[in-house]
Amino acid sequence: MTKIVCVHSFRGGTGKSNLSANLATALALSGRKVAVIDTDLASPGVHVLFQFTPAPDDATLNDHLQGSAPIESCCHDVTPAAVRAKAGQVFLVPASMQSDRIARLLREGYEVERLNDALFHLGEHRHLDVIIVDTHPGINEETLLTTAISDCLVMVMRPDSQDYLGTAVALEVAQRLDVPNALLVVNKLPRHFDGQQVRDRVEQSYGIPLGAVLPLSDELLDLASGDLALLTVPDHPWSQGVHSLAQKLIDGIL
């Protein structure tokens, strides 16, 4: 059965989409079939990390949610060569980057149940092991309903006061939705921060497992989200942290 992993953050700017793409790649490097769904429909960006630009006739998630396009036609193979060599696959369901499509969706909305049904159908149709859902930041109806059907919630935060408070609220909501598993990821840890101190504070504050503490570095800034760090700088502590997070998901829900 396909497992659904929601990657979420209370605020934007946490590196959530970057983590979603690299986490999917890490799981696929273990020989699994993984799909990434970009449900951050107001500000999509996962496709950039896979260097995928939808052609004019390529269907996107918007075409399924607000039209008649079947979800499988919105699913594109973006498997990197290194992943294919390990017998894994990565698929992407991108959101539209066309301003008129974004404006229409924000104006008219969509049926969230249609999105959730699409996740189950795509998992069955493509025989997927995992679906990574890159969510829109914050707490809204769409994110809540998708989180409620997930097998695991990965909450991403930065080590600052606003994120500490907002993440607490988001995790409390997730607990009320009876999400069976949750992992916390601290991303963009500045070099001068004490990593162990941050770990201790997070574990004491939230009472859920810490999936990874990922550093902020010049190498990642140089990539500018234009490529997958996991493949470009595989020995970097950030990449190794994502591999560790992937292994925790494999051990915990796969």
Side-chain angles (χ1 to χ4, degrees):
M1 180 179 293
T2 305
K3 300 298 183 180
I4 298 174
V5 177
C6 276
V7 181
H8 186 54
S9 63
F10 185 76
R11 293 198 302 156
T14 61
K16 172 179 58 62
S17 295
N18 192 23
L19 179 62
S20 295
N22 280 275
L23 180 58
T25 303
L27 291 168
L29 281 169
S30 67
R32 289 170 168 82
K33 296 180 70 172
V34 186
V36 187
I37 316 293
D38 192 348
T39 66
D40 190 355
L41 298 162
S43 51
V46 179
H47 63 283
V48 177
L49 288 139
F50 290 105
Q51 300 181 2
F52 175 81
T53 301
D57 57 344
D58 282 341
T60 65
L61 183 58
N62 302 61
D63 295 299
H64 177 71
L65 296 178
Q66 293 193 303
S68 57
I71 189 62
E72 54 267 26
S73 70
C74 309
C75 184
H76 306 278
D77 191 335
V78 293
T79 308
V83 172
R84 200 175 300 279
K86 297 291 186 178
Q89 282 185 284
V90 181
F91 298 96
L92 173 66
V93 178
S96 176
M97 282 291 291
Q98 297 177 12
S99 58
D100 59 331
R101 299 299 305 276
I102 295 174
R104 177 188 167 197
L105 186 136
L106 294 177
R107 183 175 62 251
E108 300 177 1
Y110 64 92
E111 296 181 7
V112 182
E113 293 80 4
R114 188 170 175 82
L115 171 60
N116 289 356
D117 290 343
L119 298 180
F120 292 118
H121 179 78
L122 186 62
E124 181 178 357
H125 177 79
R126 291 282 188 175
H127 306 290
L128 299 172
D129 296 299
V130 188
I131 292 177
I132 303 288
V133 182
D134 183 48
T135 66
H136 184 67
I139 297 175
N140 53 62
E141 180 185 5
E142 293 86 353
T143 297
L144 291 178
L145 291 177
T146 302
T147 299
I149 66 166
S150 67
D151 297 286
C152 184
L153 171 66
V154 175
M155 279 294 303
V156 189
M157 62 174 287
R158 293 170 299 183
D160 68 47
S161 297
Q162 290 187 22
D163 271 20
Y164 276 113
L165 294 172
T167 298
V169 173
L171 287 173
E172 183 179 349
V173 171
Q175 290 171 350
R176 293 184 180 182
L177 294 172
D178 294 325
V179 177
N181 300 285
L183 290 172
L184 194 60
V185 172
V186 178
N187 196 23
K188 299 186 177 182
L189 182 74
R191 188 173 303 173
H192 63 277
F193 274 46
D194 185 323
Q196 188 57 51
Q197 190 177 68
V198 171
R199 284 179 176 272
D200 292 342
R201 179 180 179 183
V202 166
E203 290 175 344
Q204 292 170 8
S205 298
Y206 302 113
I208 67 169
L210 185 60
V213 176
L214 305 175
L216 179 66
S217 72
D218 292 338
E219 291 95 330
L220 297 180
L221 292 175
D222 289 342
L223 287 177
S225 297
D227 209 341
L228 295 162
L230 208 72
L231 301 180
T232 306
V233 284
D235 296 326
H236 192 279
W238 192 92
S239 301
Q240 293 301 308
V242 174
H243 274 297
S244 176
L245 175 62
Q247 189 60 52
K248 288 178 181 177
L249 288 174
I250 291 170
D251 294 339
I253 68 169
L254 298 182

